[in-house]
Amino acid sequence: MKLNHINLTVTDVNATRLFLEKYFDVQTRSTYKDSFALLVDDDGLLLALTKGSKVNYPNSFHIGFEQESEEQVNEINQRMKNDGFDVKAPKRAHRWTFYMKTPGGFTVEVFK
């Protein structure tokens, strides 16, 4: 058994979809107006985004994108900074990692 998909409620489906495509190598499989998008990756992940006006995830809630190397973590972090996102530098915690809030209102962890 494996986790097959997750549906996240977001304030802006298109901005979140574009963000995830740009930084995390997912592709949009389908969309419905500005209210729904289904994204996939080469490993079988199905990530659904549904529009909601009030998004209120718990502080500790996040999804994680594991990278192949610490250099890739650093590269994604720098690309986000260059693109104007307010993101802290990676640090050694439970692993080489950083967190940031997506345009849709939830947090992602980028780690190795």
Side-chain angles (χ1 to χ4, degrees), residues 46-64:
L46 298 172
L47 178 59
L49 304 174
T50 303
K51 184 169 179 70
S53 58
K54 294 183 180 180
V55 177
N56 189 18
Y57 289 106
N59 287 339
S60 63
F61 178 84
H62 66 279
I63 63 172

Side-chain angles (χ1 to χ4, degrees), residues 70 89-97 112:
E70 291 182 2
K91 65 180 181 180
R92 180 85 46 216
H94 52 288
R95 52 189 143 200
W96 190 244
T97 186
K112 172 57 189 164

Side-chain angles (χ1 to χ4, degrees), residues 73-74 76-78 81 85-93 95-100 110:
V73 173
N74 295 340
I76 292 170
N77 183 273
Q78 189 59 54
K81 284 181 184 177
F85 288 102
D86 182 20
V87 59
K88 293 182 181 176
K91 65 180 181 180
R92 180 85 46 216
R95 52 189 143 200
W96 190 244
T97 186
F98 72 93
Y99 295 83
M100 67 98 47
V110 183

Side-chain angles (χ1 to χ4, degrees), residues 17-60:
R17 177 181 64 81
L18 294 171
F19 173 84
L20 293 170
E21 285 179 342
K22 182 171 186 173
Y23 297 107
F24 302 111
D25 201 27
V26 296
Q27 302 82 39
T28 298
R29 178 174 282 173
S30 64
T31 60
Y32 180 74
K33 299 184 180 180
D34 291 333
S35 62
F36 177 80
L38 180 63
L39 298 108
V40 298
D41 72 5
D42 293 337
D43 293 321
L45 171 70
L46 298 172
L47 178 59
L49 304 174
T50 303
K51 184 169 179 70
S53 58
K54 294 183 180 180
V55 177
N56 189 18
Y57 289 106
N59 287 339
S60 63

